[in-house]
Amino acid sequence: MRTSILSLTPAIALAGLLAGCASYSETRSDTFPSLWQVENGQWQPLADGGLQGGCETGSSGCRGDWASINGRVPLPANYRLGTTLTLQDGVLAELMLDRTAQRYTRVYLYRIENKLAIGNGRSTADKAYGGKNVAKVPFQVETNRPYRVEITVCNRNLSVSIDGKRYLSGEPHDTRQRGTLGLAVNGRARFDALRVTALSQSECAPGDRFSHPEGMPMPAPFFVFSE
């Protein structure tokens, strides 16, 4: 019988909250089964605490369902996520934020359309279905090129930076929920040095919002930083 990734025991959930989700940074061969549940494809831990996943690929990505994996530890209310993402083969690599049995926030690179996008995804306890874009920006996606991705969620505001440059910032509605971290790949990808760090109230003060780097007000719901 398959156990739902979202049926967390109180002990696991409490441990994750108290640790600020630091355990995502401790992914190893021995901790992999307790921290992650594979939904589709082949996944394995990397030596630096990250993950590599993929599926049997054809000319345009996976021949069947995308490779996907979901964490067992809840994300904190405010956090910073960092990883070096490399799309080795295929067309898409995605981070699923605050995933529950109903929905999640998508952050993904899509090679066919050369874009970085944020969207609201639909899910069940053991499968993610993707969903409509909230915001997108042109971004040249190349295979076998590492991209340093940093995502910050602060008082429901989400900001996405790649290689030190911020591209998107705003408030997708699904950051109002609390859930786990998931990864999805249409092809093969590495998520090296995957780290999730909880932000304190002093780092994420009430009412804080990311602003335009030139001091311009940020329109709702999303501000797109051009390349």
Side-chain angles (χ1 to χ4, degrees):
M1 180 177 178
R2 192 173 190 181
T3 302
S4 168
I5 51 175
L6 300 168
S7 299
L8 302 171
T9 66
I12 292 176
L14 179 60
L17 291 172
L18 293 177
C21 292
S23 52
Y24 278 125
S25 306
E26 299 169 2
T27 300
R28 305 182 302 270
S29 296
D30 59 332
T31 62
F32 179 74
S34 62
L35 294 177
W36 300 91
Q37 180 163 326
V38 175
E39 295 176 326
N40 291 299
Q42 297 79 45
W43 292 86
Q44 63 184 33
L46 300 172
D48 61 8
L51 291 167
Q52 181 176 29
C55 56
E56 182 181 353
T57 59
S59 59
S60 59
C62 296
R63 294 183 184 276
D65 289 339
W66 296 0
S68 62
I69 191 170
N70 208 344
R72 300 180 186 272
V73 180
L75 291 166
N78 299 315
Y79 59 90
R80 181 172 292 112
L81 183 156
T83 187
T84 298
L85 191 162
T86 305
L87 181 63
Q88 299 167 294
D89 185 24
V91 298
L92 179 143
E94 177 173 334
L95 294 110
M96 298 183 279
L97 308 178
D98 291 301
R99 182 175 163 185
T100 69
Q102 291 82 37
R103 59 187 186 178
Y104 61 95
T105 297
R106 311 177 65 197
V107 178
Y108 64 96
L109 291 173
Y110 188 37
R111 189 168 65 87
I112 290 179
E113 297 182 5
N114 279 315
K115 69 180 180 182
L116 164 67
I118 293 174
N120 291 318
R122 182 174 61 88
S123 60
T124 61
D126 57 5
K127 190 170 183 178
Y129 295 93
K132 185 178 180 180
N133 287 343
V134 174
K136 62 182 179 180
V137 64
F139 187 89
Q140 186 69 34
V141 182
E142 300 176 15
T143 55
N144 295 310
R145 175 180 173 182
Y147 297 99
R148 183 60 191 171
V149 179
E150 184 172 282
I151 299 170
T152 303
V153 174
C154 182
N155 294 319
R156 299 182 179 176
N157 189 88
L158 185 151
S159 178
V160 182
S161 299
I162 298 181
D163 294 334
K165 178 178 178 178
R166 194 189 322 168
Y167 284 89
L168 292 166
S169 183
E171 186 177 326
H173 71 78
D174 283 352
T175 57
R176 303 177 189 184
Q177 67 183 17
R178 297 285 296 280
T180 59
L181 170 65
L183 307 172
V185 180
N186 189 356
R188 287 187 304 114
R190 295 174 61 103
F191 299 82
D192 285 277
L194 182 63
R195 302 287 185 271
V196 178
T197 305
L199 297 177
S200 66
Q201 285 302 313
S202 61
E203 295 172 297
C204 199
D208 184 29
R209 289 291 185 271
F210 295 99
S211 60
H212 189 279
E214 297 178 0
M216 297 167 59
M218 186 185 73
F222 255 89
F223 195 95
V224 176
F225 295 83
S226 62
E227 291 190 281

